[in-house]
Amino acid sequence: MELKIRKSPRIYGMVDAPPSKSYTHRGIIIASLARGTSTLYDPLEAEDTLASAYACKKFGALIKKEGGKWIIEGVNGRPSTPDDILDLKNSGTSLRILTSVAGLAEHYTILTGDESLRSRPMQDLLDALRPLGVRAVSSRMNGRPPIIVKGGFKGGRTSIAGSVSSQFISSILIAGPLSEDGVEVKIKGDFISQPYVDMTVDVMRKFNARVEFNSREKTFYVEPGEYIGRDYQVEGDYSSASYLLGAVAAVGGKLTVKNLPMDSKQGDRIILDILEGMGATIHRRQESVTIESDGRLHGVEVDLHDSPDLLPTIAVLGALAEGTTRIRGVEHARFKETDRIKTCTMELSRLGVPVEEKRDGMIIKGDQIKGDMVYSHGDHRLVMAFTLIGLKAGLKIKDAEAYKVSFPEFIETLLALGCRLKVDENG
């Protein structure tokens, strides 16, 4: 599929933020492990979150969709061994969190996915599960999926590097309350993307788990217990909203995005500060954000240590801005759906943008777009981020269908706001 984007007029209006992918994953999985029934209101129904729902049903949960809500009957802390291999498609969050959940099942569980997912590093998580009673190995012995997990999650003490993926930490924490002994997890070294773990702890506590974090010792303590079903409202997604807010920043206009709580634990809410730093005006309210822009941006220097998913958004806005944008602190973005530092550098270079790839970021000299076509590399965030260049200067994006992974209504939302896009299914 090719996405053709023409230079678009200024954007005005009001939209709902798409539901949070991260909170939907956590809500589905924890509700599926709980005792009793939960109702998830406004969950994100996208390829990644459906992968989690599919797996949870294989573990024995009953999940029924009713309008804008999902009703989930949990397994009361005792997931069944799936009757087949779990194909998690492209969902890294599903793979990582459910690897520990598989340790709660009695027998062997095999987790795999598409080519991109099978390239994801997993060894740190597999090593950290061993002291907790879980035998988990890479089937090819290369630290990457397919992953084979033998049940036996007893709990106890373990440690894990905090510099590779926060999802490894979330994975162990989510399974922790259902272990016999509870879990103590010490974070070694740098603790990247901590807001994502804060989100995990937030959902765990809402479902009755007892978990604490000693920041001085960088250690999580999870008491043995149970999850209890409840009603749960999924908040809007700052990551996905960054493309809507970024579109207005790029072409100008005024847009209100609803369902973005001011007190959200999402690290990607830093997008508001970054856009202000680039020259946009941001109005924050309790449950919404309004952005105003004249379409003129200037370069910034940002540390995305806690917000790696914002890298493509800031990279393309930097390419549209006057001056130089420096992005640092985001080496872990190399372990996403693609090596996002490399792929963003490659595609900006294709457009004639002077860009320098660094170990942990990029340096971009903006306002020099010359090309008119890029490739998505099958990465949903690259599709949506590079769309912003199209709205400002015109662009074609090859293999653009990847956006459906996290924001299925992305194109329809932009069309409703007057943006000029066209899908060519044969492109």
Side-chain angles (χ1 to χ4, degrees):
M1 174 187 134
E2 181 178 271
L3 180 60
K4 299 178 180 178
I5 310 137
R6 290 189 294 146
K7 187 175 179 179
S8 295
R10 293 192 172 193
I11 296 169
Y12 295 92
M14 179 180 294
V15 295
D16 287 314
S20 166
K21 182 163 77 87
S22 296
Y23 273 118
T24 299
H25 276 301
R26 288 155 175 78
I28 292 169
I29 293 169
I30 291 174
S32 295
L33 292 172
R35 170 169 60 84
T37 302
S38 299
T39 302
L40 268 57
Y41 292 93
D42 299 317
L44 175 69
E45 188 167 333
E47 290 177 3
D48 272 14
T49 55
L50 289 173
S52 282
Y54 150 81
C56 287
K57 287 190 281 190
K58 290 292 187 180
F59 281 121
L62 301 176
I63 302 178
K64 181 171 64 173
K65 300 176 189 176
E66 287 188 2
K69 61 186 179 182
W70 291 2
I71 299 172
I72 301 175
E73 184 70 34
V75 300
N76 195 19
R78 295 189 293 274
S80 305
T81 300
D83 61 3
D84 201 352
I85 293 169
L86 296 182
D87 181 357
L88 301 172
K89 310 298 184 184
N90 188 241
S91 180
T93 304
S94 304
L95 169 70
R96 286 161 171 169
I97 293 179
L98 292 170
T99 293
S100 295
V101 169
L104 298 168
E106 185 177 0
H107 300 298
Y108 288 92
T109 301
I110 302 174
L111 306 96
T112 190
D114 65 13
E115 183 179 0
S116 171
L117 196 72
R118 295 195 305 275
S119 71
R120 301 288 191 95
M122 290 286 289
Q123 194 62 50
D124 286 68
L125 176 58
L126 307 184
D127 291 343
L129 284 170
R130 193 174 301 117
L132 304 177
V134 179
R135 286 186 290 160
V137 298
S138 162
S139 69
R140 295 176 291 165
M141 302 308 289
N142 64 355
R144 302 173 190 276
I147 301 298
I148 304 169
V149 182
K150 172 68 170 72
F153 199 126
K154 187 173 185 297
R157 294 180 179 180
T158 193
S159 62
I160 190 166
S163 59
V164 179
S165 173
S166 64
Q167 291 172 353
F168 293 166
I169 302 164
S170 291
S171 176
I172 295 170
L173 295 180
I174 285 173
L178 305 177
S179 64
E180 183 180 331
D181 299 333
V183 166
E184 180 180 316
V185 186
K186 183 172 181 59
I187 311 304
K188 299 184 296 184
D190 194 18
F191 191 177
I192 62 165
S193 302
Q194 185 172 345
Y196 286 97
V197 182
D198 294 340
M199 293 163 65
T200 298
V201 171
D202 178 47
V203 182
M204 290 174 65
R205 287 173 174 163
K206 283 182 166 65
F207 282 82
N208 192 54
R210 297 184 298 277
V211 52
E212 301 296 335
F213 179 58
N214 184 316
S215 57
R216 183 175 57 83
E217 298 178 353
K218 289 203 295 188
T219 301
F220 286 93
Y221 300 91
V222 183
E223 295 184 26
E226 65 177 353
Y227 291 118
I228 297 177
R230 56 160 291 164
D231 290 351
Y232 181 72
Q233 174 70 45
V234 178
E235 67 182 54
D237 195 316
Y238 274 89
S239 308
S240 294
S242 76
Y243 310 112
L244 305 177
L245 298 168
V248 177
V251 305
K254 182 177 181 179
L255 179 70
T256 296
V257 184
K258 298 184 292 182
N259 195 26
L260 289 178
M262 185 185 296
D263 61 354
S264 174
K265 296 185 182 300
Q266 296 178 58
D268 285 356
R269 69 187 184 279
I270 196 177
I271 185 64
L272 305 180
D273 299 329
I274 295 171
L275 291 174
E276 280 183 322
M278 299 187 87
T281 300
I282 303 291
H283 304 283
R284 297 166 175 81
R285 297 180 180 84
Q286 196 61 42
E287 294 292 332
S288 69
V289 171
T290 298
I291 181 171
E292 292 184 80
S293 173
D294 61 7
R296 292 181 293 180
L297 302 175
H298 51 77
V300 290
E301 185 167 334
V302 295
D303 186 334
L304 296 181
H305 180 273
D306 286 332
S307 306
D309 286 344
L310 291 181
L311 171 66
T313 310
I314 306 308
V316 300
L317 290 176
L320 294 171
E322 295 180 359
T324 300
T325 292
R326 291 178 171 84
I327 302 170
R328 66 179 187 277
V330 72
E331 185 176 4
H332 43 305
R334 293 189 182 276
F335 305 105
K336 297 290 186 176
E337 282 80 347
T338 62
D339 176 342
R340 286 185 178 148
I341 296 177
K342 183 177 290 297
T343 51
C344 285
T345 299
M346 186 184 306
E347 298 309 315
L348 287 177
S349 297
R350 194 187 303 277
L351 296 177
V353 176
V355 54
E356 181 182 353
E357 178 180 341
K358 309 293 284 186
R359 176 185 58 81
D360 70 337
M362 304 166 67
I363 300 175
I364 304 150
K365 294 183 179 178
D367 203 21
Q368 301 184 59
I369 305 291
K370 296 184 178 67
D372 67 352
M373 186 181 73
V374 296
Y375 292 84
S376 77
H377 301 268
D379 190 327
H380 58 121
R381 299 208 183 277
L382 264 68
V383 176
M384 294 185 283
F386 275 88
T387 296
L388 308 187
I389 289 180
L391 297 176
K392 184 76 169 182
L395 190 67
K396 296 188 289 290
I397 304 177
K398 293 286 190 179
D399 305 320
E401 62 275 5
Y403 73 89
K404 297 173 185 176
V405 163
S406 61
F407 192 170
E409 290 80 31
F410 175 66
I411 291 175
E412 289 82 354
T413 301
L414 289 180
L415 287 171
L417 291 170
C419 297
R420 297 169 177 167
L421 303 91
K422 183 179 179 182
V423 172
D424 181 354
E425 296 289 355
N426 300 313

